[in-house]
Amino acid sequence: YRKCDVCGTYHWPWCGDELPKVGLESLPVAAPLEEEPPHARTTNYVAGFAFNDDESRVALILKTRPDWQRGRLNGIGGHIEPGETPLVAMEREFEEETGGAADWTEFAVLRGPSGFVVHFFRGIATTPLETQTDETVVWVDPAALPENVLPNLRWLIPMARSGQGAQWPLHVTEN
């Protein structure tokens, strides 16, 4: 693994590379990493979109880290700790970052090419929300998302607003 010059995450093969067409016995042994890839520490995450009562606003967080998300808006969430279910992790992360709570429903599970898994939740905020960390919580109009949202929020937030789906959670694999 190394940091990909194309997408900025740690993985192999790198974006645009093809897998070698040789037997496993002839593959080179990888050198030790200078830094452990983020997904080697944890590969499971949660992210939630909390709406106000009439769903005219969605709470997002202005990211300061990791570097590839700095200055961008994302759903509120983080790592799933060992022994936690995705729902418990979503409740914990949301409370840590907003001081608030929401009634959560899992609506999508996204599997990424480098092995990460993100469980996405939607909910209605049941308490006031206030920034609790160095990452600012903001309310935005989900029908007019700002330019600085992470790209996949442009389809995830409308999906979350669509209400209870018959097939939720939807399982999606990114290439």
Side-chain angles (χ1 to χ4, degrees):
Y1 291 101
R2 72 165 167 78
K3 190 170 184 179
C4 179
D5 296 330
V6 176
C7 70
T9 63
Y10 288 83
H11 62 93
W12 184 88
W14 302 286
C15 295
D17 289 350
E18 290 190 27
L19 288 171
K21 295 178 174 51
V22 295
L24 291 177
E25 66 282 348
S26 59
L27 289 175
V29 175
L33 293 172
E34 292 178 22
E35 180 181 328
E36 183 180 28
H39 68 273
R41 292 188 294 274
T42 184
T43 58
N44 294 296
Y45 303 90
V46 292
F49 306 113
F51 296 91
N52 63 348
D53 287 335
D54 67 0
E55 296 192 18
S56 64
R57 295 276 185 240
V58 61
L60 299 176
I61 196 160
L62 184 60
K63 299 297 291 176
T64 60
R65 62 190 170 282
D67 285 342
W68 69 273
Q69 289 188 27
R70 185 182 317 274
R72 301 220 137 179
L73 292 169
N74 198 359
I76 297 167
H79 300 97
I80 298 176
E81 299 294 337
E84 280 185 322
T85 64
L87 177 59
V88 168
M90 184 68 250
E91 292 169 338
R92 175 186 54 77
E93 287 285 349
F94 193 74
E95 193 278 328
E96 287 175 0
E97 295 179 15
T98 71
D103 291 323
W104 295 111
T105 300
E106 186 174 17
F107 72 91
V109 178
L110 176 67
R111 297 177 189 285
S114 61
F116 67 85
V117 176
V118 184
H119 297 262
F120 286 96
F121 289 82
R122 65 142 357 251
I124 302 297
T126 56
T127 61
L129 308 182
E130 292 184 24
T131 298
Q132 303 291 310
T133 70
D134 62 327
E135 296 182 317
T136 306
V137 176
V138 297
W139 287 99
V140 301
D141 179 349
L145 294 172
E147 289 295 315
N148 65 329
V149 297
L150 288 175
N152 62 5
L153 271 59
R154 296 201 179 278
W155 60 269
L156 283 163
I157 290 174
M159 182 188 297
R161 281 183 85 197
S162 69
Q164 179 65 36
Q167 302 298 317
W168 280 5
L170 178 67
H171 290 261
V172 179
T173 302
E174 277 188 346
N175 293 325

